Amino acid sequence: MGVADRLEFRLLGPVEVWRGPERLAISSRHQRSVLAALALCPGRVVSVSALVDAVWEEDSPPSARRQVIKLVSRLRGTLGDAITTRSGDYMLNAEPDQVDVGVFDSSVAGARQLSVTDPEAAARAAREALRLWRGPALSGVTPGLAAQATRLEERRLSALEDGFDWELATGGHAALVAELTILVAEHPLRERLVGQLMLALHRSGRTTEALEVYRRTHERLADDLALAPGAELQQLHVAILRNDATPTAPISPPAPAPRSATRTSVAVPRQLPCAVAGFTGRASQLKELTGLLDRNDTVVISAINGTAGVGKTALAVHWSHQVADRFSDGQLYVNLRGFDPSGQPVQPADAIRGFLDALGVPAQRIPAGLAEQAALYRSQLADRRILVVLDNARDTDQVRPLLPGSAQCLTVITSRDPLGGLIVSAGARAVPLDLMTTAEAYDLLASRLGPERLAVEPHAVSDLIELCAHLPLALTIVAARVTLAPTLSLAELAKQLRDVRDRLRALDIGDASVDLSAVFSWSYRTLSAAAARMFRLLSLHPGPVISVSAAASLVGTERDQAHAALSELTRAQLLTEHSAGRFAYHDLLRAYSAGKAREDEDEQTRHAAMHRMLDHYLHTAHAATLLLNPPNDRLSLVESQPGACVDELADDEQAWQWFTAERQVFPAAIERAADAGFDTHAWQLAWSVASFCIRAGHWTQMVTSQLVAIAAAERAGEPHGQAWSLRELGRVYIRLGRYADARASLCRALDLDERLGDLVGQARSYNTLGIVSYAQGANPEALEQGKAAYALFHAAGHRAGQADALNAIGWMQTQLGQHAEALRYCAQALELHRAVGSRHGEADTWDSLGCAHHNLGEHQRAVVCYHNALELYQKLGARHPQADTLIRLGETYQDAGDFHAAHRSWQQALPILDDLHHPDADVLRARLAERTPAP
């Protein structure tokens, strides 16, 4: 392509495309938006969905994809083959230097590199690059590209500031004063520009004016944001006050810390939700919260309280983002769901466990009891400066265990409850949040609709504010409605709200059970029939987050159809995509959804939807637990209902991932099943998730679920279910160290098993009772219980159980010094495990054989056994057993005198334990340090 035919794309101003000296005609705003989206990614594929977002943002019509294809076709008529298709998406065939954005970025990067040796030349290069700007970036396009325009403007300002630094460094201060004065007027809170103006004035002999600039900035920050100037601006101010003729350079952007300086051993959580877009008002509350930062002699707690929808969370999150940089060790956040319509507030133990996970505490180190967990949590925060945000708290009892004990931390709590007990006992500072003032409500609408739109219909704006009762949530939804229907006048919108039936009830803000149904209905009415039905039936899900498969089961459709409905709800702002493929909505929308379900879906329909959803969880969980524990006992499940969507999991890794993603749903689903009369589902689901909960350390949660399961099985008249649930309760009591409770539960299960004549159940109960005895130091009793388990498994013809029991007997014999007998039992176990195809059991038995041979002094045979176990564990991906076997293999090598081999085995085990965050890693690391063999 010759120079005359070369296309140039200009985005730094009005969007234009030139071919040589000729500007090509692109008259449509939508065409310019598509062109700009492609030109921002030259030489890269841009999806049709991304182009839809560029044109319509979140408010795209149903025909958006077709319209985008037509827009691209028209652009091709102008640009020729500059736009090509790749797998149904599009790409602009252009080099970065054909787009002024690319030329600008390249020029600025070159200037920054040049500044190291020649700041004067760098300043000239920056000025030259800035001449590419012909006005505000991406002018003449649709609002869908507003975020990209903002990012480009930030790059322009950053380049300007860099250039000013270089000019100030070469003595150009006097010539910059006028330009900087104008820019500071345009960006009064941009501290780097303010610092540059102060420095230019001071060096020009105008120190009084420099100090006045600082004073105005200080007042503006305090009034608008309830903040003080940053440390660098304050330091510059002090230097000028001292009449330093050459204070340090103006404020520069923070440089990233070098890798060597980062803290790799301590997790730094960043859990704050996304910053609140368009936040307005609440100046006095922001100022009060910021004032708490100066109190460093005591534990600081702020309790933001107010009614539903008043903006407690918005205030807490907005302020937290403003001050996040003052908490160098991170920010913790949890939604305690204290007033969730499901009636399932987050338990303090679950919240603390989430915080400890975020702080990098290995699961194995987390104690079982709430008091011990709270103590560990406070210890983790003792020497760290962390902001803790406890959102939507139920009451004082729920939050008290979550409070740090360190004066370096600050806790912000939001709740509908005044939390009076916390104010009295912990000295919490109450920050009551009332309805918005008229001025604040006006600013909120203006931030979303633009002041120009409001100025056209001032009376209608006042009506809307009053009709929404000054409630931020209602005002925000009104603004969204206006955005969704740009041709609708504000007066007509106010008329619709005024005329809606039972408006006062619709806008009642006094209780969580009362929703803003009139406001929500505006978005609801725009939904397709499929999305509306999805919205109604979502209220049956216990929450807090629902997957596509669970949602598909609720409505009885395919996953693709369900995902389309969920995406439509997300676009309508009736749902949020919490993470990829997982959706959630807040409590007011849930209440509205439940009301619509009661109105529009009969009891039989709701019952069938609940049945399908519970089938999804039960059948998927049962299949997943069999993948984690083959060959496990199996429940006799009733075939799932038509329309229930059961996830197909390929292996134990996918099973584990599924359990982890759904963990928070299980206890609520089990309780919901029991409350709705699905008692068999309740106990069978509790059993199906039990093995995962034990492995993952969710023991307190499991106790609650198994207690619900036992009662459900009793109501259903299913004693087998009672026994199975009692055994699982006994297993988890063992993990919690509650051995008396474990023994009592297992004895109840054994009694039921005996009355039912369930030999396998009796065997399982005896096997687990053996673990209780072993844990309490009663090794002979544990051995006898293992033998009783074997006899019962043998009588029942349960070969997999026989193999487990034989290996357990062999292991107990090694603990009692009966190593020769252990070899005989383990050999039988190995043969049976191979016969039933249990590779996990086979690997475990090879490990037991290795231990027995080691204790008999038969080191070479022990090494062979351990290697056999390792080979199987590696194939199975069983990482923790690998590490255990490698440690025992190292001990065998050490006793045999081969210290180098021992060291190699332990070195192989260490990274596995480190990856698992297992506490044994530190023990092994110390062993390696003490016993490093001589070269």
Side-chain angles (χ1 to χ4, degrees):
M1 181 183 294
V3 174
D5 297 325
R6 177 183 169 89
L7 291 174
E8 293 184 6
F9 301 91
R10 301 181 181 180
L11 309 181
L12 303 178
V15 174
E16 298 173 354
V17 57
W18 290 69
R19 179 179 282 120
E22 174 193 6
R23 186 176 72 180
L24 303 184
I26 302 176
S27 56
S28 161
R29 290 177 71 217
H30 287 177
Q31 282 189 57
R32 287 195 295 271
S33 297
V34 170
L35 174 64
L38 291 169
L40 285 167
C41 306
R44 289 181 291 171
V45 173
V46 181
S47 68
V48 174
S49 298
L51 295 177
V52 168
D53 292 341
V55 176
W56 289 281
E57 202 170 15
E58 296 180 355
D59 308 325
S60 57
S63 62
R65 292 181 68 88
R66 292 196 301 274
Q67 291 191 46
V68 161
I69 293 170
K70 289 180 181 178
L71 289 168
V72 173
S73 178
R74 291 172 190 156
L75 282 172
R76 279 175 162 167
T78 303
L79 304 180
D81 59 1
I83 300 176
T84 56
T85 304
R86 294 283 183 89
S87 301
D89 297 319
Y90 298 103
M91 183 175 76
L92 181 66
N93 290 317
E95 298 297 327
D97 64 357
Q98 289 178 253
V99 185
D100 57 0
V101 174
V103 176
F104 173 75
D105 288 342
S106 177
S107 299
V108 171
R112 286 172 177 151
Q113 189 172 10
L114 185 60
S115 68
V116 177
T117 56
D118 193 345
E120 186 173 356
R124 289 196 300 270
R127 291 283 185 183
E128 187 64 28
L130 288 161
R131 291 191 182 95
L132 292 169
W133 288 73
R134 298 165 289 110
L138 301 178
S139 298
V141 299
T142 54
L145 290 170
Q148 288 88 334
T150 300
R151 285 193 285 270
L152 288 172
E153 174 63 12
E154 176 60 33
R155 277 141 74 176
R156 184 185 76 89
L157 289 172
S158 180
L160 264 173
E161 291 167 336
D162 284 349
F164 292 149
D165 276 352
W166 301 328
E167 292 185 47
L168 286 167
T170 56
H173 43 268
L176 290 176
V177 168
E179 186 176 2
L180 281 167
T181 299
I182 295 171
L183 284 168
V184 168
E186 294 173 356
H187 308 280
L189 301 182
R190 198 171 179 94
E191 293 190 28
R192 192 178 178 196
L193 283 175
V194 171
Q196 289 170 331
L197 175 57
M198 290 170 60
L199 193 58
L201 287 167
H202 176 62
R203 289 181 177 175
S204 300
R206 301 163 66 176
T207 300
T208 302
E209 294 173 66
L211 296 173
E212 177 61 20
V213 169
Y214 179 83
R215 185 192 65 78
R216 289 197 304 267
T217 302
H218 190 287
E219 291 181 354
R220 186 73 175 266
L221 283 167
D223 293 341
D224 291 0
L225 302 176
L227 292 174
E232 291 187 72
L233 193 61
Q234 291 185 43
Q235 291 167 8
L236 178 61
H237 178 237
V238 171
I240 293 174
L241 284 172
R242 291 174 177 167
N243 200 26
D244 184 347
T246 57
T248 55
I251 295 171
S252 58
R259 286 188 179 272
S260 60
T262 59
R263 296 174 65 183
T264 57
S265 60
V266 180
V268 179
R270 307 289 187 192
Q271 293 190 324
L272 293 179
C274 294
V276 181
F279 183 89
T280 59
R282 310 306 195 188
S284 63
Q285 289 86 0
L286 289 168
K287 188 173 183 178
E288 183 173 358
L289 288 167
T290 302
L292 298 175
L293 296 174
D294 298 327
R295 294 173 55 189
N296 55 12
D297 58 338
T298 184
V299 177
V300 180
I301 306 164
S302 171
I304 303 173
N305 63 83
T307 190
V310 80
K312 302 180 294 294
T313 297
L315 171 64
V317 171
H318 175 77
W319 180 80
S320 297
H321 276 284
Q322 293 293 318
V323 301
D325 61 337
R326 303 196 186 192
F327 295 88
S328 55
D329 293 316
Q331 306 88 41
L332 295 170
Y333 172 90
V334 63
N335 179 2
L336 294 171
R337 302 201 309 273
F339 293 86
D340 194 296
S342 69
Q344 294 294 327
V346 172
Q347 295 300 311
D350 290 337
I352 288 179
R353 184 175 185 87
F355 283 166
L356 291 173
D357 286 345
L359 292 165
V361 179
Q364 296 84 353
R365 284 190 53 209
I366 299 175
L370 176 60
E372 292 79 8
Q373 289 179 353
L376 175 60
Y377 164 68
R378 289 192 297 271
S379 298
Q380 288 291 314
L381 268 58
D383 298 317
R384 305 175 70 179
R385 184 163 178 78
I386 287 181
L387 175 64
V388 181
V389 181
L390 308 177
D391 192 19
N392 195 15
R394 178 76 176 186
D395 50 32
T396 298
D397 290 339
Q398 188 187 26
V399 300
R400 199 186 301 278
L402 310 180
L403 301 177
S406 169
Q408 296 186 67
C409 296
L410 188 148
T411 306
V412 176
I413 308 167
T414 73
S415 179
R416 297 176 195 173
D417 189 286
L419 302 177
L422 205 63
I423 295 169
V424 172
S425 63
R429 175 74 64 87
V431 182
L433 203 59
D434 204 348
L435 299 173
M436 279 188 156
T437 65
T438 299
E440 288 176 328
Y442 185 94
D443 288 343
L444 188 155
L445 290 175
S447 71
R448 286 160 172 77
L449 302 177
E452 300 83 3
R453 180 77 186 272
L454 303 190
V456 175
E457 299 180 81
H459 296 297
V461 174
S462 298
D463 289 345
L464 285 172
I465 291 172
E466 294 304 318
L467 289 166
C468 291
H470 294 241
L471 187 67
L473 178 58
L475 290 163
T476 301
I477 297 173
V478 164
R481 172 62 173 141
V482 174
T483 303
L484 288 169
T487 60
L488 183 66
S489 70
L490 299 183
E492 177 60 25
L493 193 58
K495 182 177 183 298
Q496 290 180 13
L497 181 57
R498 187 183 298 108
D499 293 346
V500 73
R501 189 180 65 169
D502 203 10
R503 175 177 57 84
L504 290 177
R505 182 183 180 279
L507 294 178
D508 190 341
I509 60 169
D511 191 88
S513 62
V514 181
D515 54 73
L516 301 173
S517 57
V519 178
F520 293 146
S521 68
W522 296 331
S523 296
Y524 177 75
R525 291 170 188 164
T526 68
L527 299 174
S528 66
R533 182 166 182 263
M534 173 69 78
F535 180 69
R536 294 191 296 271
L537 294 180
L538 281 175
S539 64
L540 302 177
H541 188 264
V545 180
I546 188 168
S547 68
V548 175
S549 295
S553 299
L554 276 172
V555 296
T557 64
E558 297 293 329
R559 289 183 182 86
D560 289 346
Q561 295 170 282
H563 193 276
L566 294 166
S567 297
E568 184 179 342
L569 290 170
T570 302
R571 290 194 299 273
Q573 300 184 49
L574 292 172
L575 211 60
T576 59
E577 190 162 10
H578 181 268
S579 58
R582 300 180 65 77
F583 298 83
Y585 55 4
H586 61 69
D587 53 359
L588 291 177
L589 281 169
R590 182 183 290 276
Y592 176 66
S593 170
K596 297 305 294 182
R598 289 191 296 270
E599 292 174 16
D600 301 336
E601 307 287 351
D602 59 36
E603 184 177 352
Q604 183 178 358
T605 300
R606 298 197 302 272
H607 187 272
M610 178 78 76
H611 197 162
R612 290 191 300 269
M613 178 192 69
L614 292 173
D615 276 350
H616 157 74
Y617 284 116
L618 174 57
H619 284 263
T620 306
H622 188 253
T625 201
L626 294 179
L627 286 170
L628 290 181
N629 303 283
N632 206 342
D633 292 333
R634 295 170 181 264
L635 298 174
S636 297
L637 302 182
V638 176
E639 186 175 351
S640 61
Q641 294 290 300
C645 182
V646 180
D647 285 335
E648 296 180 2
L649 307 172
D651 50 34
D652 55 353
E653 182 178 353
Q654 287 190 10
W656 188 267
Q657 291 172 350
W658 184 83
F659 275 128
T660 301
E662 299 288 358
R663 180 186 72 81
Q664 290 185 306
V665 177
F666 296 140
I670 291 164
E671 289 199 22
R672 179 68 61 91
D675 292 342
F678 292 94
D679 287 322
T680 300
H681 281 79
W683 78 259
Q684 289 185 339
L685 179 58
W687 181 88
S688 296
V689 304
S691 290
F692 164 76
C693 289
I694 282 189
R695 288 193 189 186
H698 307 309
W699 300 328
T700 304
Q701 167 186 316
M702 185 177 165
V703 168
T704 302
S705 295
Q706 292 303 328
L707 290 172
V708 172
I710 292 165
E714 187 174 8
R715 284 194 303 272
E718 298 181 34
H720 280 97
Q722 287 180 260
W724 286 51
S725 301
L726 282 163
R727 271 196 300 277
E728 296 303 333
L729 183 62
R731 288 176 67 200
V732 73
Y733 277 152
I734 291 171
R735 297 306 190 282
L736 292 167
R738 296 170 58 176
Y739 301 122
D741 291 332
R743 189 177 293 277
S745 295
L746 292 165
C747 287
R748 285 181 60 195
L750 183 59
D751 181 59
L752 281 169
D753 293 327
E754 290 172 344
R755 282 191 278 157
L756 292 167
D758 183 354
L759 298 182
V760 173
Q762 293 175 55
R764 294 289 185 206
S765 296
Y766 273 118
N767 236 359
T768 313
L769 280 167
I771 298 173
V772 176
S773 299
Y774 173 59
Q776 293 180 315
N779 291 342
E781 181 183 353
L783 178 60
E784 291 307 312
Q785 287 163 331
K787 290 180 177 179
Y790 172 75
L792 288 161
F793 277 130
H794 187 271
H798 196 291
R799 302 178 75 198
Q802 291 175 57
D804 287 338
L806 286 167
N807 185 46
I809 292 169
W811 178 260
M812 284 308 307
Q813 287 171 330
T814 65
Q815 308 306 305
L816 292 167
Q818 302 168 12
H819 307 304
E821 293 88 343
L823 288 176
R824 288 195 294 273
Y825 276 94
C826 288
Q828 295 177 60
L830 186 64
E831 182 179 352
L832 270 177
H833 278 309
R834 285 172 170 171
V836 300
S838 175
R839 294 195 298 164
H840 282 275
E842 185 181 348
D844 289 342
T845 305
W846 276 120
D847 181 78
S848 298
L849 285 165
C851 183
H853 281 300
H854 178 190
N855 287 318
L856 286 168
E858 299 169 350
H859 299 134
Q860 189 57 42
R861 290 184 177 182
V863 167
V864 171
C865 293
Y866 283 138
H867 278 294
N868 288 339
L870 285 171
E871 183 179 355
L872 284 168
Y873 283 141
Q874 288 164 359
K875 290 178 180 178
L876 294 167
R879 305 190 69 210
H880 184 224
Q882 279 184 63
D884 278 347
T885 299
L886 283 166
I887 291 171
R888 283 191 278 274
L889 176 61
E891 291 167 350
T892 299
Y893 278 132
Q894 179 178 252
D895 287 353
D898 191 342
F899 299 108
H900 287 282
H903 203 264
R904 283 196 302 272
S905 294
W906 294 333
Q907 283 182 319
Q908 287 178 268
L910 183 59
I912 298 175
L913 294 174
D914 277 334
D915 286 348
L916 295 172
H917 304 290
H918 198 285
D920 287 352
D922 291 334
V923 176
L924 183 56
R925 189 175 288 106
R927 176 187 288 184
L928 283 165
E930 292 172 1
R931 305 180 187 180
T932 301

